[in-house]
């Protein structure tokens, strides 16, 4: 049996200069404590090790670290211009009706007023209606319960983004 060659992105992540890897990890998750922990775990023998390190780092984030991570995410329905990751992840809102987009905007504002941060959900594969329904349901949560849901959603987002990074090395500027 022959060994499977490492994914090009994982090879890059293991060998690129720390500053380049830190920048790529920041695009995955804006929490510096998370990227520092993932960076410190290099080299990774397999993508599963990278994902496990990410999950472990997410579990250790403080409330302030979670705030930093959430600050890196735009509101649902309003991906940042020029940010292909958030546009791809929020694709379910792209074809939404104007009524649904308006409702999502109102829910985003009410959620942010209640919790002090953006409504965060792993939107990959969800329809606009599913995101709206989740926002409606979650706005009734206690701040403590919502904080742990946000941690779980960030963990899912990081897994998806890290899998993409491990599969393909970042393009040089």
């Amino acid at each position: 049996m022959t060994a499977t060659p490492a994914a090009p992105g994982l090879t890059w992540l293991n060998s690129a200069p720390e500053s380049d890897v830190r920048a790529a990890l920041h695009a995955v998750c804006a929490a510096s404590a998370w990227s520092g922990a993932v960076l410190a775990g290099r080299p990774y023998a397999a993508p599963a090790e990278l994902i496990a390190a990410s999950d472990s780092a997410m579990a250790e984030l403080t409330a302030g670290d979670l705030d930093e991570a959430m600050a890196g995410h735009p509101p649902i329905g309003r991906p940042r211009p020029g940010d292909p990751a958030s546009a791809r992840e929020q694709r379910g809102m792209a074809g939404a009706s104007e009524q649904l987009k308006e409702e999502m905007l109102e829910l985003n504002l009410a959620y942010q007023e209640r919790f002090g941060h953006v409504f965060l959900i792993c939107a990959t594969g969800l329809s606009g209606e599913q995101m709206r329904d989740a926002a409606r349901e979650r706005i009734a949560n206690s701040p403590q319960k919502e904080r742990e849901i946000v941690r779980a959603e960030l963990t899912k987002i990081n897994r998806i983004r890290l899998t993409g990074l491990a599969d393909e090395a970042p393009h040089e500027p």
Side-chain angles (χ1 to χ4, degrees):
M1 181 173 201
T2 60
T4 304
L10 190 61
T11 300
W12 176 86
L13 190 135
N14 285 333
S15 61
E18 182 176 321
S19 60
D20 293 350
V21 175
R22 188 174 297 280
L25 290 174
H26 187 269
V28 171
C29 179
S32 4
W34 175 86
S35 57
V38 172
L39 190 60
R42 292 190 308 172
Y44 295 100
E49 286 183 17
L50 175 62
I51 299 300
S54 171
D55 289 357
S56 177
M58 281 302 303
E60 298 299 319
L61 292 186
T62 65
D65 296 331
L66 284 172
D67 288 341
E68 185 180 16
M70 286 184 282
H73 289 270
I76 295 294
R78 296 188 350 224
R80 286 194 181 96
D83 181 356
S86 65
R88 181 178 57 253
E89 292 164 355
Q90 294 189 31
R91 189 175 339 183
M93 286 301 294
S97 69
E98 287 307 312
Q99 180 181 352
L100 180 57
K101 288 178 182 178
E102 182 63 31
E103 189 175 0
M104 197 68 224
L105 174 62
E106 289 172 14
L107 283 165
N108 278 327
L109 292 172
Y111 180 97
Q112 191 155 358
E113 177 71 25
R114 174 154 165 68
F115 295 109
H117 56 79
V118 298
F119 170 68
L120 195 127
I121 189 168
C122 181
T124 300
L126 297 181
S127 69
E129 290 82 2
Q130 288 171 310
M131 288 182 252
R132 178 207 53 213
D133 294 348
R136 280 181 182 164
E137 180 181 314
R138 287 174 46 195
I139 204 162
N141 288 339
S142 71
Q144 297 78 13
K145 180 176 182 179
E146 191 57 22
R147 201 58 125 157
E148 289 313 306
I149 291 171
V150 164
R151 185 186 304 273
E153 294 298 311
L154 280 166
T155 299
K156 290 186 235 176
I157 293 166
N158 289 356
R159 286 175 181 170
I160 292 167
R161 290 180 175 186
L162 278 176
T163 298
L165 180 61
D167 287 346
E168 188 176 322
H171 299 290
E172 297 299 319

